[in-house]
Amino acid sequence: YVGGVVGENYGTVVNSHNIGSVSGSNYVGGVVGYNYYGTVVNCYYDSDIYIGTAISSDEGTSTDVWGKTTADFASGEVAYSLSQGCTVGETVYSGEIWGQNIDGKGEKDACPVFSDAKVYPAKNCDGSDGVYSNTQDVQKDHIYSENGFCTFCDGYESPTGSGTESDPYKISNAGQLYWFAAVVNTG
């Protein structure tokens, strides 16, 4: 029985992750090889490194046990999920030990670590979820493609220049043209 966290589980495995390779001939899982009437909750493995299932044979209870990509680990998504902790029966397991430096103040962490660098969900420019930050209540700016349209919302890039005779608008892509059309159409 081979698992990224536990080979054969009779107990409780919570708030854990594996970013290493896992190999064997029988009962091989990214998190647990054989869950023999145990419990596995809020655990993750890097599905780019180990391509198989989270739990090879599950005769127990498992909830929120997922494979995530290397990019998901680096983004802070897994650290945030781990830091939320979980509840099994009447027992609450805190995830406060998990953190990750993702904003680049110092060396960035590639995956969750035991750290006080808390991870918070941030908002994309359109208000949707999907990015993470070490700063609470952050809303990310638009991210424009080369054609001038935001990759997250319907926004478009404004041209350079102030619109005066000496500093006219300089339109260099379709998004900037849409911006200019909106200015003209609204007076």
Side-chain angles (χ1 to χ4, degrees), residues 83-170:
S83 72
Q84 299 309 293
C86 62
T87 301
V88 176
E90 301 278 323
T91 306
V92 176
Y93 294 94
S94 170
E96 292 179 0
I97 60 170
W98 292 110
Q100 183 175 358
N101 181 5
I102 56 176
D103 284 347
K105 296 174 184 156
E107 188 173 333
K108 288 185 177 186
D109 297 319
C111 66
V113 295
F114 298 136
S115 166
D116 60 358
K118 293 199 179 300
V119 175
Y120 303 96
K123 299 287 184 184
N124 292 324
C125 55
D126 65 353
S128 66
D129 292 330
V131 295
Y132 297 87
S133 174
N134 291 121
T135 307
Q136 197 168 10
D137 299 324
V138 169
Q139 181 150 346
K140 299 291 186 182
D141 294 330
H142 295 283
I143 298 175
Y144 298 110
S145 65
E146 67 182 44
N147 66 6
F149 293 99
C150 181
T151 58
F152 291 108
C153 72
D154 293 330
Y156 28 84
E157 185 177 20
S158 58
T160 59
S162 61
T164 65
E165 186 175 335
S166 62
D167 186 26
Y169 294 127
K170 296 170 186 83

Side-chain angles (χ1 to χ4, degrees), residues 19 45-50 67-76 78 100 110-111:
I19 59 167
Y45 71 97
D46 189 321
S47 59
D48 289 337
I49 296 174
Y50 174 69
K68 296 290 184 175
T69 66
T70 302
D72 293 334
F73 273 88
S75 75
V78 176
Q100 183 175 358
C111 66

Side-chain angles (χ1 to χ4, degrees), residues 2 16-17 38 57 60 74 78 123-124 140 155 161 165 171 173 177 183:
V2 180
S16 301
H17 75 89
S57 180
V78 176
K123 299 287 184 184
N124 292 324
K140 299 291 186 182
E165 186 175 335
I171 298 170
N173 61 42
L177 184 59
V183 169

Side-chain angles (χ1 to χ4, degrees), residues 2-7 13 16-18 22 28-34 40-46 50 53-56 65-67:
V2 180
V5 178
V6 175
V13 179
S16 301
H17 75 89
N18 166 43
V22 183
V28 180
V31 176
V32 174
Y34 180 41
V40 184
V41 180
N42 197 30
C43 295
Y44 306 88
Y45 71 97
D46 189 321
Y50 174 69
T53 62
I55 301 172
S56 179
V65 183
W66 304 104

